């Protein structure tokens, strides 16, 4: 589960390129765009500008460069020409990128136009919860420490954390060991070692944590129809703490 320094350097390069994709999305006016238009823009940017590969395309039979999960969709939303982003929506774009055989994975929930305060608060809390987890990462800490920090922050703000989906190790494969749960007890679980690389990607729900998968076999939604928000970074355990390999330009670690 640990990577050599030269492997982490390659993962960091993939992460740097993926951060550029989100930097481009940050400058879009998403109102009126279809989620398929966003997918096609991302696909073209990764392939033709960054000379890399959208790693989700073809993985598990999936056909697209990203997941687009809007409002009550928790994860794995399929881009569609018929799904038009509206003023007031929230939408998560989850994107993977492979360069030189190594994969980076990141996601961000965007506020589309003027978003109501309850939805903005959910999105902000999900972002903070991810960083609470990231800040616990260091050699000698445990995955239980990471999950506990995330869930505690969400619950303190009146939200729940989805349990069916988790972070994961990443490298040459998109999903490697370990599984990174977004809840847990301090000082339990796998002890972190220098060289481990994994994602932290909590999905935070406005209501209950229960989810269900729609008939397409991909789209996961909240059972109660309330909103869900997610953020994700790929991180490496360093000698002194943590390095966020997918940190975006201008992003200030919380």
């Amino acid at each position: 589960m640990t990577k050599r320094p030269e492997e982490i350097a390659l993962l960091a390069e993939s992460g740097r390129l993926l951060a550029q994709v989100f930097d481009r999305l940050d400058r879009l006016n998403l109102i009126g765009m279809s989620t398929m238009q966003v997918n096609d823009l991302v696909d073209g940017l990764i392939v033709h500008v960054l000379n890399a590969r959208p790693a989700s395309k073809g993985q598990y039979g999936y056909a697209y460069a990203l997941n687009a999960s809007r409002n009550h969709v928790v994860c794995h939303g399929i881009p569609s020409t018929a799904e038009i982003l509206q003023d007031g929506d929230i939408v998560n774009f989850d994107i993977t990128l492979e360069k030189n055989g190594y994969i980076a994975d990141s996601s961000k929930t965007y506020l589309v136009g003027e978003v109501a305060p309850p939805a903005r608060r959910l999105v902000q809390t999900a972002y903070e919860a991810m960083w609470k987890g990231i800040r616990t990462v260091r050699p000698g800490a445990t995955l239980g420490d990471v999950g506990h920090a995330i869930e505690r922050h969400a619950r303190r703000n009146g939200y729940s954390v989805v349990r069916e989906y988790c972070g994961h190790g990443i490298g040459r494969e998109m999903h490697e060991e370990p599984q990174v749960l977004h809840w847990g007890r301090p000082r339990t679980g796998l002890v972190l070692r220098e060289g481990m690389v994994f994602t932290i990607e909590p999905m935070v729900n406005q209501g209950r944590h229960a989810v269900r998968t729609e008939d397409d076999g991909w789209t996961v939604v909240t059972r109660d129809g309330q909103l869900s928000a997610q953020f994700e970074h790929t991180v490496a355990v360093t000698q002194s703490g943590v390095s966020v390999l997918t940190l975006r330009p201008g992003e200030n670690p919380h």
Side-chain angles (χ1 to χ4, degrees):
M1 278 188 279
T2 59
K3 305 289 192 291
R4 300 186 306 276
E6 57 269 28
E7 291 182 289
I8 292 177
L10 289 166
L11 284 160
E13 174 61 9
S14 296
R16 186 184 69 81
L17 295 177
L18 183 51
Q20 291 183 26
V21 177
F22 284 96
D23 187 48
R24 176 71 181 89
L25 292 182
D26 288 347
R27 296 197 296 272
L28 284 181
N29 177 7
L30 293 169
I31 297 173
M33 289 188 72
S34 74
T35 51
M36 186 64 80
Q37 282 179 294
V38 179
N39 173 81
D40 293 347
L41 184 152
V42 166
D43 195 318
L45 179 59
I46 292 174
V47 173
H48 300 298
V49 179
L50 301 178
N51 195 28
R53 186 180 76 85
S56 66
K57 204 171 177 179
Q59 179 90 353
Y60 311 122
Y62 192 72
Y64 305 102
L66 55 73
N67 291 129
S69 301
R70 177 173 166 239
N71 295 334
H72 71 296
V73 178
V74 175
C75 61
H76 302 164
I78 302 171
S80 167
T81 55
E83 184 172 47
I84 307 300
L85 296 169
Q86 308 284 343
D87 187 39
D89 282 343
I90 64 173
V91 61
N92 177 273
F93 295 122
D94 189 342
I95 307 169
T96 56
L97 180 150
E98 179 192 318
K99 180 77 171 181
N100 299 315
Y102 287 86
I103 299 170
D105 189 358
S106 187
S107 86
K108 177 176 179 176
T109 297
Y110 284 85
L111 304 171
V112 182
E114 292 298 319
V115 173
R120 298 179 75 92
R121 181 171 169 266
L122 172 70
V123 172
Q124 181 63 28
T125 301
Y127 186 64
E128 293 166 356
M130 176 191 67
W131 279 107
K132 294 283 186 185
I134 290 171
R135 281 207 301 269
T136 66
V137 174
R138 65 184 186 284
T142 69
L143 286 179
D145 296 335
V146 177
H148 176 72
I150 290 167
E151 187 176 41
R152 180 176 61 183
H153 188 69
R155 288 171 67 99
R156 281 179 173 175
N157 285 277
Y159 303 124
S160 61
V161 175
V162 172
R163 293 179 170 241
E164 285 83 349
Y165 300 92
C166 61
H168 50 87
I170 191 167
R172 286 189 171 275
E173 300 293 332
M174 190 187 300
H175 296 116
E176 301 180 355
E177 290 298 322
Q179 291 195 329
V180 181
L181 304 183
H182 300 119
W183 75 96
R185 297 196 315 277
R187 298 177 295 284
T188 65
L190 184 72
V191 177
L192 301 182
R193 304 189 302 275
E194 182 183 358
M196 288 181 173
V197 180
F198 50 84
T199 70
I200 295 176
E201 48 180 297
M203 302 164 198
V204 178
N205 289 357
Q206 212 171 26
R208 296 182 294 112
H209 67 74
V211 301
R212 64 176 176 84
T213 304
E214 295 197 326
D215 292 342
D216 61 21
W218 285 103
T219 308
V220 178
V221 299
T222 58
R223 277 192 176 272
D224 59 14
Q226 296 199 61
L227 298 176
S228 185
Q230 181 191 17
F231 287 86
E232 174 184 14
H233 273 312
T234 298
V235 305
V237 184
T238 66
Q239 185 176 24
S240 59
V242 63
S243 175
V244 181
L245 303 183
T246 47
L247 193 71
R248 296 184 271 275
E251 187 179 22
N252 294 314
H254 278 49

